[in-house]
Amino acid sequence: MSLVAFGQSLDEFLRAASEEVVLVAPFIKKATLERLLGGIADGVSVVCVTRWRLAEVAAGVSDLGVWELLEDPSRGRLYLNNNLHAKYYRADKGCLIGSANLTATALGWSPNPNVEILVPPADCQSLRFTFERNLLASSVEVDNALFESAVAAVEAMPPLVFQDTVAWNAGGAGNEQVVDVQISGDKTWLPRLRYPEYLYLAYCNELDALTTVARDVATEEVKNFRVLPGLPRKAFEAEIGIQMLSQPIVHGVDNFLKEPRRFGAVRDYLARTYGEDYEAFDASSAWQTLMRWLLYFAPNRFALAIPSHSEIMYRRNIYGRPYD
């Protein structure tokens, strides 16, 4: 089978769906997704899972614009999972797994395509009810506010110049060598570092000014994110901001703050949604720390008001004021 036919085979596989299509890939280019979606029949549910690491988006290996193809809920739903590496495609009860991202280079629709593979697994039924369920449980659904935050964060990134010999190509898995570090993958992640400004010091390995405890916590926190080495502070903070908002528990707080909330309301929300899994969970301390992170890493998205000595946190609308 030629490389061009390889992409056509995926297109035909998805066209055969009559109920549901699931598309899972770390790298997705808008033009490629648009081409594939064009062949899927109206009325077929589409679920798409990808990742948005801002350095990768700024480098052109993935597109934020895929949101524009799926923002209509009648057409599909888009999820983010920053730990994602799997490539998995399902049309009704049939599955394909392998190495190919949803890019022209990976699917053989470019002048210099990659050599990729997609094959049917031995047990699609098991993947459907275990892999998909676990993946969606640890992912966050994109909405317009999250998309706009990602766009703003990418605009804050500097021009990227990669010294690594690994090419940043739209379909290759070699990019993983540039940006990957160990990551916990904990879907209930919350920050523990009380002073978020210390995170950049840990990232740059400039820890002499910190206490031993702060140094250890800051170093551990850096491992919770996948960030390209050598970013200036502004770009680093933008990257952390969008990755933080993509964490499931933080995304829940983000939605909760569409309405201005007093300190106790958010504390109680965290206690209900997070504290049940941990007997010693201190919701007040957790919210104090998360509040600092939200205000520091996403200052254009969140604000704090203190009328009558009572802290009220809210998410800004496009005018910088609380949502109505």
Side-chain angles (χ1 to χ4, degrees):
M1 180 183 297
S2 71
L3 291 175
V4 174
F6 174 78
Q8 291 174 348
S9 294
L10 178 60
D11 190 18
E12 293 169 2
F13 173 77
L14 299 177
R15 285 173 182 267
S18 60
E19 297 179 358
E20 183 177 45
V21 162
V22 176
L23 307 172
V24 177
F27 300 154
I28 303 181
K29 298 292 286 183
K30 181 180 179 181
T32 302
L33 181 60
E34 187 171 25
R35 179 171 178 174
L36 292 172
L37 291 177
I40 298 172
D42 292 340
V44 173
S45 170
V46 176
V47 174
C48 184
V49 185
T50 190
R51 77 183 189 210
W52 286 348
R53 298 182 196 165
L54 301 188
E56 294 171 346
V57 173
V61 299
S62 206
D63 290 341
L64 299 180
V66 298
W67 165 244
E68 298 167 3
L69 303 176
L70 295 170
E71 61 181 321
D72 181 351
S74 68
R75 183 52 174 157
R77 295 152 66 193
L78 179 64
Y79 292 85
L80 298 184
N81 189 309
N82 279 326
N83 297 322
L84 184 64
H85 185 64
K87 294 85 175 174
Y88 167 89
Y89 309 109
R90 178 168 65 80
D92 294 340
K93 297 182 179 180
C95 303
L96 295 173
I97 59 175
S99 65
N101 285 287
L102 296 186
T103 68
T105 305
L107 298 185
W109 293 335
S110 70
N112 297 297
N114 292 339
V115 176
E116 306 279 4
I117 187 171
L118 284 176
V119 296
D123 187 359
C124 182
Q125 187 78 349
S126 177
L127 285 175
R128 182 179 175 187
F129 291 107
T130 56
F131 169 73
E132 287 187 30
R133 181 179 301 172
N134 292 335
L135 177 64
L136 291 176
S138 62
S139 302
V140 296
E141 188 168 4
V142 177
D143 58 19
N144 200 54
L146 183 57
F147 166 73
E148 290 175 355
S149 292
V151 170
V154 168
E155 290 174 352
M157 299 288 289
L160 296 176
V161 179
F162 300 101
Q163 302 299 326
D164 199 286
T165 56
V166 178
W168 277 72
N169 59 77
N175 303 328
E176 301 294 316
Q177 300 177 36
V178 182
V179 298
D180 272 6
V181 296
Q182 292 298 315
I183 191 167
S184 68
D186 184 357
K187 69 179 181 180
T188 56
W189 174 87
L190 280 171
R192 297 184 298 114
L193 183 65
R194 187 166 180 80
Y195 299 100
E197 60 269 25
Y198 291 171
L199 196 66
Y200 188 68
L201 297 178
Y203 169 74
C204 297
N205 201 29
E206 297 176 359
L207 299 169
D208 292 345
L210 305 183
T211 66
T212 300
V213 172
R215 184 185 307 126
D216 291 344
V217 175
T219 300
E220 189 64 28
E221 287 283 23
V222 169
K223 295 179 182 179
N224 286 312
F225 300 93
R226 299 172 186 257
V227 183
L228 186 76
L231 293 180
R233 181 183 288 271
K234 183 177 180 181
F236 171 81
E237 292 174 353
E239 178 79 72
I240 295 298
I242 192 63
Q243 287 199 33
M244 175 183 63
L245 290 170
S246 298
Q247 298 289 342
I249 199 73
V250 180
H251 189 62
V253 171
D254 178 63
N255 283 329
F256 191 63
L257 290 175
K258 278 189 174 182
E259 178 181 332
R261 306 284 186 175
R262 295 186 181 275
F263 182 94
V266 186
R267 176 200 61 209
D268 294 345
Y269 171 83
L270 286 174
R272 290 193 306 270
T273 58
Y274 182 75
E276 293 180 357
D277 296 330
Y278 298 89
E279 293 181 2
F281 178 67
D282 184 341
S284 291
S285 178
W287 173 224
Q288 286 173 346
T289 301
L290 178 57
M291 181 192 300
R292 289 171 180 244
W293 279 57
L294 294 177
L295 293 170
Y296 186 84
F297 289 115
N300 295 326
R301 188 175 180 82
F302 299 98
L304 180 68
I306 311 178
S308 303
H309 308 287
S310 177
E311 292 181 328
I312 298 178
M313 186 81 166
Y314 62 89
R315 202 178 90 187
R316 303 176 189 268
N317 62 16
I318 60 174
Y319 305 106
R321 300 190 294 272
Y323 273 80
D324 296 331

